[in-house]
Amino acid sequence: MPNISQRGQIMPPSPIRKLVPYAEAAKKKGVTVYHLNIGQPDIETPQPVLDAVRHSTFKILDYSHSAGNESYRRKLISYYKKFDITVDHTEIIVTTGGSEAILFGFMACLDPGDEVIVPEPFYANYNGFATEANINIVPVTSSIDTGFALPPIADFEKKITPKTKAILICNPNNPTGYLYSRAEMEVLKEICLKHNLFLFSDEAYREFCYDGENISAMNLTGMDNHVVVFDTISKRYSACGARIGAVVTHNRTILDSVMKFAQARLSPPSFAQIAAEAAVDLPDNYFDAIKAEYQSRRDTLVSLLNKIPGVFCPNPGGAFYAMARLPIDDADKFCQWLLESFSYEEQTVMLSPATGFYATPGLGKQEVRLAYVINKESITKAMKTLEKALEIYPGKI
Amino acid sequence: MPNISQRGQIMPPSPIRKLVPYAEAAKKKGVTVYHLNIGQPDIETPQPVLDAVRHSTFKILDYSHSAGNESYRRKLISYYKKFDITVDHTEIIVTTGGSEAILFGFMACLDPGDEVIVPEPFYANYNGFATEANINIVPVTSSIDTGFALPPIADFEKKITPKTKAILICNPNNPTGYLYSRAEMEVLKEICLKHNLFLFSDEAYREFCYDGENISAMNLTGMDNHVVVFDTISKRYSACGARIGAVVTHNRTILDSVMKFAQARLSPPSFAQIAAEAAVDLPDNYFDAIKAEYQSRRDTLVSLLNKIPGVFCPNPGGAFYAMARLPIDDADKFCQWLLESFSYEEQTVMLSPATGFYATPGLGKQEVRLAYVINKESITKAMKTLEKALEIYPGKI
């Protein structure tokens, strides 16, 4: 029997999904599991977005342009304009989800062995895409004590080597919910210009900002050849299953290269591009109610968390995640124990251990990520359940 | 300005799409262009397949299982059963098109620098996926004079090195239309077992066999840990834009590895999985009319080609492609000349130069690929036009 590749062996499994069997077992026992572990929004996909597909009349489900339908890309110009991002349709390549945008960016800009600096904790799947592209993620640690603010410039510079090709941020951040300030974005610009690095900016949660304004990397001046934005409609329109994202950049060399990766896989999904195009036409006030709902959930979650003895949760400015420090020995053990050995009034809570979001071994052992993608009533019950759990957890410290 | 990667630079552009600007210019001049250059079927997508999506009633377009909806995978068991392929739903991982299946297979089984042997001419995008995975394609040349039959076993063995991990075939073949016989499949089995290689089998055109039976690599006995099938619904149901494919294998180690790649990109497209699942329910006779239509087109095309002086076209047993040898100096020049400098009764023909399908430099210069995805009337006019072109082409030999 032939051996599979080293790459296929070291490819990291999803750190979030490993708890799924325990959740399934809990449910089989009749326990209600509050899912605070995944970023699947419970908000309904806007009706006009689904209707655009359901009312379509084409006869052949054919390939689209490899860069995505031109009509969709032209519409996106007006979408980005609302965020003071000026691009034309040739500066947007539609991808199969934000996932593919990240992979294309890695492959077009970095060679095997090259390094990308990422503030940790970070979105765990970056590890997977780095393994696929045979590049190395070099973490710069941000701390829960500062609310996960951008680490000092010196911390970045300590990590820069001749192999460093890029810095990757996620703004607003998954998993921390941190929203980078204009001053922090200017710091990133300074580092990238000084050391001639690309700035990759994952802006999946652009709409979800509660305290302050979202500064896109595309808003930085003098960075046209450095900035590459990874975008997606997944969270924006509760359309995770569409698998529609985009690479957005002014850098023509990158666009030409990404286009070759896009041609190899022929085209992004056709049904979902119809949905995505319809979404651009949603009224500007569509996000008002959604944002108000998430902000209110955040306020409830953060306030209840901080009332639990020994728990600290900085107030996240964006996205729909919060990171909390708990008085526990080991987040992985605790999250499994919650599902396997605990219930309160036949309820328990599914959380993401933060260890999967850190690249530095040993970090995040007292932290968990909570996604506030369930309604406030459920959040309130979940926090009561968590409080009760922490009272009796054997590994409490 | 930072440099992009070497990988991003050497990534091959689509050899087929480079002629598109010339076709567009010809059309602007009022010339009718017969598109024999691409594998986009003109057959309508079956109505029940489109209706399944249009009549769907879900409220949230959410992520599916990373391996694809279980309901779809369970249905595929019965689909494969019709071809004497016995698999369970855990042996199928649904991918975003056949493209992603190929990339996942390469990444899971080969490390950077490893080699996969592929009979040439071959589907040009294999080069792109190999570049992405940093692996090397080693060609074994098949000849138009034998109708592109499998090269002799000795030719394969000459190419095997310690880096060789797999043989990749496409059956029925794109671009040659060749359908491998049972004896040839047994030869491949023998080589793979003797040298402990994976057998990757791209079976995108499984339904389209006109002279003889399709032997899936999954039909080979004693090869459970060697065979990996790359599948897609694109051609089968004229659903190229769905972007639904699959990795199918009995090898559990590969399945576990591919699953990690699948998890990193979260899920295949949700709308299209609804379509794909509905397609499995199409009546068995759905393919009868489609196959009859393609076979009749093939017969027309091949017969007309062979009547043109100096042209040789072996009769392809499957898929919807034919390769022809023309009395020309250079296929790339000729195909461009057809679009740029020639017309007959305000018509011309767009063909694919075969050079893009060979890895060995210099091969395929007198060959072109013709996709019979247009109706017979158009095929007849196109062949007349081609005949007239060959009469006056300055580079005729």
Side-chain angles (χ1 to χ4, degrees):
Chain A
M1 168 174 165
N3 290 322
I4 69 161
S5 63
Q6 285 296 316
R7 166 170 49 201
Q9 291 172 55
I10 63 168
M11 181 74 187
S14 166
I16 300 174
R17 300 202 177 199
K18 69 185 173 188
L19 291 171
V20 169
Y22 299 104
E24 284 169 357
K27 285 178 203 171
K28 278 202 183 130
K29 286 191 291 183
V31 174
T32 299
V33 178
Y34 294 111
H35 282 278
L36 294 164
N37 58 302
I38 47 163
Q40 167 64 57
D42 63 328
I43 307 282
E44 287 186 5
T45 312
Q47 197 62 43
V49 171
L50 297 175
D51 282 350
V53 175
R54 288 171 181 159
H55 300 164
S56 63
T57 56
F58 63 84
K59 299 278 188 191
I60 302 182
L61 183 62
D62 51 8
Y63 291 123
S64 74
H65 192 293
S66 294
N69 291 329
E70 189 173 322
S71 55
Y72 173 44
R73 285 179 290 133
R74 285 189 180 275
K75 272 204 180 168
L76 282 174
I77 296 170
S78 63
Y79 166 77
Y80 286 116
K81 197 76 200 163
K82 291 178 196 167
F83 297 90
D84 286 326
I85 299 170
T86 306
V87 286
D88 70 39
H89 73 284
T90 67
E91 295 172 316
I92 302 164
I93 294 177
V94 178
T95 56
T96 304
S99 302
E100 189 180 67
I102 297 165
L103 183 63
F104 283 177
F106 281 1
M107 288 187 165
C109 296
L110 281 79
D111 279 309
D114 284 347
E115 295 166 1
V116 55
I117 296 176
V118 190
E120 68 179 351
F122 57 79
Y123 176 55
N125 283 329
Y126 293 158
N127 287 315
F129 304 127
T131 302
E132 294 185 34
N134 282 96
I135 65 167
N136 298 319
I137 288 182
V138 175
V140 168
T141 308
S142 68
S143 165
I144 196 168
D145 293 312
T146 62
F148 300 104
L150 194 73
I153 199 164
D155 289 11
F156 282 89
E157 295 199 318
K158 263 185 273 180
K159 298 294 180 87
I160 293 174
T161 75
K163 290 278 188 194
T164 310
K165 293 284 152 43
I167 293 172
L168 166 60
I169 59 164
C170 179
N171 184 30
N173 192 275
N174 173 9
T176 67
Y178 189 77
L179 179 63
Y180 291 106
S181 68
R182 182 170 286 279
E184 287 172 316
M185 293 302 290
E186 291 292 335
V187 165
L188 288 165
K189 170 180 162 177
E190 187 187 331
I191 303 172
C192 288
L193 288 178
K194 183 175 168 192
H195 296 280
N196 201 31
L197 306 177
F198 293 114
L199 178 58
F200 295 148
S201 184
D202 176 349
E203 302 184 0
Y205 301 89
R206 185 181 296 116
E207 273 75 11
F208 305 100
C209 299
Y210 316 115
D211 307 315
E213 189 192 357
N214 178 54
I215 311 295
S216 169
M218 295 290 285
N219 298 140
L220 298 171
T221 57
M223 287 281 281
D224 282 6
N225 282 321
H226 295 257
V227 167
V228 186
V229 163
F230 304 140
D231 210 346
T232 169
I233 68 162
S234 292
K235 315 296 174 172
R236 187 180 303 158
Y237 307 116
S238 289
C240 297
R243 313 313 299 132
I244 293 292
V247 169
V248 186
T249 180
H250 292 301
N251 184 317
R252 289 277 158 198
T253 313
I254 294 176
L255 288 164
D256 289 347
S257 180
V258 168
M259 192 58 197
K260 294 186 290 182
F261 292 97
Q263 284 182 347
R265 60 69 165 130
L266 304 167
S267 73
S270 291
F271 278 123
Q273 284 186 75
I274 297 170
E277 188 168 330
V280 183
D281 289 332
L282 288 169
D284 283 353
N285 66 3
Y286 163 71
F287 291 104
D288 295 349
I290 311 281
K291 265 176 68 171
E293 172 64 23
Y294 278 122
Q295 180 163 350
S296 161
R297 290 176 182 183
R298 178 201 66 167
D299 294 344
T300 302
L301 179 82
V302 174
S303 151
L304 290 174
L305 276 170
N306 282 314
K307 280 182 191 150
I308 302 174
V311 173
F312 169 59
C313 177
N315 195 37
F320 37 66
Y321 305 102
M323 288 277 276
R325 183 164 57 209
L326 308 181
I328 53 172
D329 56 344
D330 183 307
D332 287 273
K333 277 193 212 162
F334 177 66
C335 292
Q336 185 176 331
W337 175 86
L338 278 172
L339 296 166
E340 208 178 15
S341 313
F342 172 79
S343 69
Y344 166 70
E345 294 182 350
E346 301 203 62
Q347 309 161 97
T348 193
V349 182
M350 189 166 180
L351 308 171
S352 294
T355 48
F357 304 117
Y358 286 89
T360 304
L363 292 187
K365 286 185 77 169
Q366 290 190 285
E367 295 168 20
V368 294
R369 186 192 74 173
L370 305 96
Y372 41 97
V373 292
I374 57 176
N375 65 39
K376 267 175 290 179
E377 192 190 336
S378 296
I379 288 174
T380 305
K381 286 182 188 166
M383 289 307 98
K384 185 75 191 170
T385 306
L386 178 62
E387 183 174 3
K388 292 291 177 187
L390 285 168
E391 284 171 11
I392 63 161
Y393 175 57
K396 190 173 174 183
I397 56 169
Chain B
M1 169 173 165
N3 291 323
I4 69 161
S5 63
Q6 286 294 316
R7 165 168 51 199
Q9 291 172 54
I10 64 169
M11 181 74 187
S14 166
I16 300 174
R17 300 202 177 201
K18 71 185 171 188
L19 291 171
V20 171
Y22 299 105
E24 285 169 357
K27 285 178 203 171
K28 279 204 182 129
K29 286 191 290 183
V31 174
T32 299
V33 178
Y34 295 109
H35 282 277
L36 294 164
N37 58 302
I38 47 164
Q40 166 64 57
D42 63 327
I43 307 282
E44 287 185 6
T45 312
Q47 198 63 41
V49 172
L50 297 174
D51 282 351
V53 174
R54 289 173 179 156
H55 299 164
S56 63
T57 56
F58 63 84
K59 299 277 188 192
I60 302 181
L61 183 62
D62 50 9
Y63 292 122
S64 74
H65 191 295
S66 294
N69 291 328
E70 189 173 322
S71 56
Y72 174 43
R73 286 181 287 133
R74 286 189 180 274
K75 273 205 178 166
L76 281 174
I77 296 170
S78 64
Y79 166 77
Y80 286 114
K81 197 78 200 161
K82 292 178 196 167
F83 298 89
D84 286 326
I85 299 169
T86 305
V87 286
D88 70 39
H89 73 284
T90 68
E91 294 171 316
I92 302 164
I93 294 178
V94 178
T95 56
T96 305
S99 302
E100 190 180 67
I102 298 164
L103 184 62
F104 283 178
F106 281 0
M107 287 188 167
C109 296
L110 281 79
D111 278 310
D114 283 348
E115 295 165 0
V116 56
I117 295 177
V118 190
E120 66 178 355
F122 57 78
Y123 177 54
N125 283 328
Y126 294 159
N127 287 315
F129 305 129
T131 302
E132 293 184 34
N134 282 95
I135 65 167
N136 298 320
I137 288 183
V138 175
V140 167
T141 307
S142 69
S143 166
I144 195 168
D145 293 312
T146 61
F148 301 103
L150 194 74
I153 198 163
D155 289 10
F156 281 90
E157 295 200 316
K158 265 186 271 179
K159 299 293 182 90
I160 293 173
T161 75
K163 289 279 188 192
T164 310
K165 294 284 151 43
I167 293 172
L168 165 60
I169 59 164
C170 179
N171 184 32
N173 192 274
N174 174 9
T176 67
Y178 190 77
L179 179 64
Y180 291 106
S181 68
R182 181 171 287 280
E184 287 173 315
M185 294 301 292
E186 291 292 335
V187 165
L188 287 165
K189 169 180 162 177
E190 187 187 331
I191 304 171
C192 289
L193 288 178
K194 181 173 168 195
H195 298 279
N196 202 30
L197 305 177
F198 293 114
L199 178 58
F200 295 148
S201 184
D202 176 348
E203 303 184 359
Y205 302 90
R206 184 182 296 116
E207 272 75 10
F208 305 101
C209 299
Y210 316 114
D211 307 313
E213 191 193 356
N214 178 53
I215 311 296
S216 170
M218 294 291 285
N219 298 140
L220 297 170
T221 55
M223 287 281 280
D224 283 6
N225 283 323
H226 295 257
V227 167
V228 185
V229 163
F230 304 140
D231 210 347
T232 169
I233 68 162
S234 292
K235 316 294 174 173
R236 187 180 302 157
Y237 307 117
S238 289
C240 296
R243 313 314 299 132
I244 293 293
V247 169
V248 186
T249 179
H250 292 302
N251 184 317
R252 289 276 160 200
T253 313
I254 293 176
L255 288 165
D256 290 347
S257 180
V258 168
M259 191 59 196
K260 294 186 290 181
F261 292 98
Q263 284 182 346
R265 59 72 165 127
L266 305 167
S267 73
S270 291
F271 278 122
Q273 284 186 76
I274 297 170
E277 188 167 332
V280 184
D281 290 331
L282 288 170
D284 282 353
N285 66 3
Y286 164 72
F287 291 104
D288 295 350
I290 311 280
K291 265 176 68 171
E293 171 65 22
Y294 279 121
Q295 181 163 349
S296 162
R297 290 177 182 183
R298 178 201 64 166
D299 294 345
T300 302
L301 179 82
V302 174
S303 152
L304 291 175
L305 276 169
N306 283 314
K307 281 183 192 151
I308 302 174
V311 173
F312 169 60
C313 178
N315 195 36
F320 37 66
Y321 305 101
M323 288 277 276
R325 183 165 57 207
L326 309 182
I328 53 172
D329 57 344
D330 183 306
D332 288 272
K333 276 192 212 162
F334 177 66
C335 293
Q336 186 176 329
W337 176 85
L338 279 173
L339 297 167
E340 208 178 14
S341 313
F342 173 80
S343 69
Y344 167 70
E345 294 182 352
E346 301 202 61
Q347 309 162 94
T348 193
V349 183
M350 190 167 180
L351 308 171
S352 293
T355 49
F357 303 118
Y358 286 89
T360 305
L363 292 186
K365 286 185 80 169
Q366 290 190 283
E367 295 169 18
V368 294
R369 186 192 73 174
L370 305 96
Y372 40 99
V373 292
I374 58 176
N375 64 40
K376 267 175 289 179
E377 193 191 335
S378 297
I379 288 173
T380 305
K381 288 182 187 166
M383 290 307 98
K384 185 76 189 165
T385 306
L386 178 62
E387 183 173 4
K388 292 290 176 186
L390 286 168
E391 284 172 10
I392 64 161
Y393 175 57
K396 190 172 176 186
I397 55 169

